[in-house]
Amino acid sequence: MMARTALVVGASGIVGSATAALLAGQGWTVHGLARRPVDQAGVVPVAADLQDPDCTAQALAGINPDAVFITTWLRQDSEAENIRVNSAMVRNLLDGLPAPTGPRHVALVTGLKHYLGPFEAYGKGALPQTPFREEQGRLDVENFYYAQEDEVFAAAERDGFTWSVHRPHTVIGKAVGNVMNMGTTLAVYATICRETGRPFTFPGSPAQWEGLTDMTDAGQLAEHLLWAATTPAAANQAFNVVNGDVFRWSWMWPRLAGWFGIEAATFDGVVRPLEQQMAGHAYIWREIAGREGLAEPDLSRLASAWHTDADLGRPIEVVTDMSKSRRMGFTGYRATDDAFFDLFERLRSDRLIP
């Protein structure tokens, strides 16, 4: 597949911005769709609200991409609303695109909630054994990831395009205003701990502290998306995608602390959620941002404590198998500690942390 025109949906987010940058760097014509597009080198901005089918169709008129990368969703108050809103967004997108005049591939980014269940039942009940494998299939529970997939499958049957589904673990990458951003959340938390002299306390569960886990760098995921879109054997397949290493938070936590020049507190087995630890600290961040000349003084646009708590508070070990991709030839690898450190350097360079 010699695709050279791409539509990246959610181009201002962690995954979308990394994907758009990779494609533009490799010579693709990249259209970056977002409700409020930001300036990105080599990316043609497309402003659209995917909840509005007419607006979406108008914004997409004249764009006939060879590859579409869906990297966005909107968090709602219940899983029923997540299903209604996010499935409609995928449907409006695929209905609004001009009919393909040649081969087209549509890649959908979901995640490990495919195996763990939605936020309302996250990590609860009977769960598949780890490492999670693609053939384990769906849980017997309503899940907006499944609804998004079904919209892609229906449109593929109608329009004749190929598809791929990508299931990363927690993604490490840069974006401002993102609702699921562990890396920046931990950077902000460590900065506040350094500022106030508070202990850098692991917020999660003993199972996460001692158990094996993995994560997904946004650059690794972007390369995986490009690989699937240009590899015929990957067509119409679902894949897990992680960095390729495993670690324990008992090892990672002191390494993160060391980057910020602080000591990691001894973990005593008590869960201390970040939402509680960081409650009422917006004023501290504003003071730090004002003194240091930071680009974003609003703590809520950098930290997503609720999401970090959901990941680090899980009562089970979470490890992901990606042998399926390896067998098909994907060889990408990232060391997760390096992914964190690279992110922290970028946040500092962009004046988002001091």
Side-chain angles (χ1 to χ4, degrees):
M1 176 178 172
M2 298 302 292
R4 285 299 169 190
T5 300
L7 174 66
V8 179
V9 183
S12 61
I14 291 177
V15 177
S17 60
T19 303
L22 174 66
L23 294 167
Q26 296 203 5
W28 289 54
T29 297
V30 181
H31 300 269
L33 186 149
R35 282 180 295 170
R36 293 177 293 276
V38 298
D39 289 337
Q40 295 172 269
V43 178
V44 180
V46 180
D49 181 353
L50 293 180
Q51 296 182 83
D52 184 333
D54 293 333
C55 166
T56 300
Q58 291 172 9
L60 296 176
I63 300 175
N64 188 14
D66 302 294
V68 180
F69 303 92
I70 306 173
T71 71
T72 190
W73 73 291
L74 281 178
R75 185 189 181 199
Q76 305 299 311
D77 291 336
S78 69
E79 192 59 20
E81 279 299 289
N82 276 331
I83 291 169
R84 184 186 68 81
V85 170
N86 288 285
S87 62
M89 288 168 58
V90 173
R91 182 168 60 253
N92 293 340
L93 168 74
L94 298 177
D95 287 352
L97 279 169
T101 57
R104 176 179 292 171
H105 185 83
V106 174
L108 171 68
V109 177
T110 61
L112 294 196
K113 287 188 291 297
H114 181 93
Y115 309 106
L116 288 161
F119 288 118
E120 291 178 2
Y122 193 51
K124 300 175 183 177
L127 295 169
Q129 289 184 334
T130 58
F132 294 141
R133 302 177 187 275
E134 294 94 343
E135 62 267 23
Q136 290 171 197
R138 297 180 175 184
L139 299 174
D140 186 18
V141 62
E142 294 296 308
N143 190 323
F144 83 88
Y145 282 172
Y146 306 160
Q148 288 181 308
E149 287 181 347
D150 288 342
E151 294 292 345
V152 171
F153 300 158
E157 184 174 355
R158 177 193 70 205
D159 294 337
F161 59 74
T162 60
W163 55 265
S164 57
V165 176
H166 303 256
R167 300 169 187 157
H169 199 165
T170 305
V171 177
I172 302 171
K174 175 182 173 284
V176 175
N178 192 275
V179 298
M180 299 197 302
N181 193 334
M182 180 189 286
T184 303
T185 298
L186 293 180
V188 168
Y189 173 54
T191 301
I192 291 174
C193 288
R194 186 177 62 195
E195 174 80 7
T196 62
R198 290 179 46 188
F200 186 59
T201 301
F202 182 70
S205 67
Q208 291 303 303
W209 181 255
E210 295 294 349
L212 291 173
T213 193
D214 47 29
M215 295 183 73
T216 308
D217 179 77
Q220 171 85 336
L221 178 50
E223 291 182 4
H224 195 259
L225 287 163
L226 175 57
W227 166 80
T230 56
T231 301
N236 305 329
Q237 299 287 330
F239 299 99
N240 296 331
V241 50
V242 287
N243 286 335
D245 64 348
V246 295
F247 64 93
R248 303 180 199 275
W249 280 105
S250 58
W251 175 83
M252 183 69 76
W253 197 250
R255 291 182 65 76
L256 301 186
W259 195 92
F260 288 92
I262 57 179
E263 293 290 329
T266 301
F267 181 62
D268 60 5
V270 177
V271 178
R272 295 181 173 86
L274 278 183
E275 275 202 300
Q276 297 176 14
Q277 293 195 53
M278 298 177 72
H281 283 8
Y283 78 96
I284 296 176
W285 189 256
R286 283 196 300 272
E287 291 177 354
I288 296 171
R291 185 186 70 231
E292 302 291 339
L294 301 184
E296 181 53 73
D298 186 348
L299 180 65
S300 68
R301 286 182 51 76
L302 295 175
S304 52
W306 70 273
H307 174 257
T308 299
D309 286 341
D311 274 5
L312 298 184
R314 291 180 297 212
I316 60 171
E317 177 179 274
V318 177
V319 186
T320 315
D321 178 78
M322 60 178 301
S323 298
K324 187 175 183 180
S325 298
R326 302 302 191 199
R327 289 189 177 104
M328 290 186 179
F330 181 76
T331 59
Y333 170 84
R334 295 285 195 283
T336 300
D337 52 344
D338 286 344
F340 272 120
F341 301 154
D342 290 347
L343 170 64
F344 299 159
E345 291 284 3
R346 188 177 177 193
L347 294 175
R348 180 169 285 172
S349 175
D350 291 347
R351 304 303 301 159
L352 290 169
I353 63 172

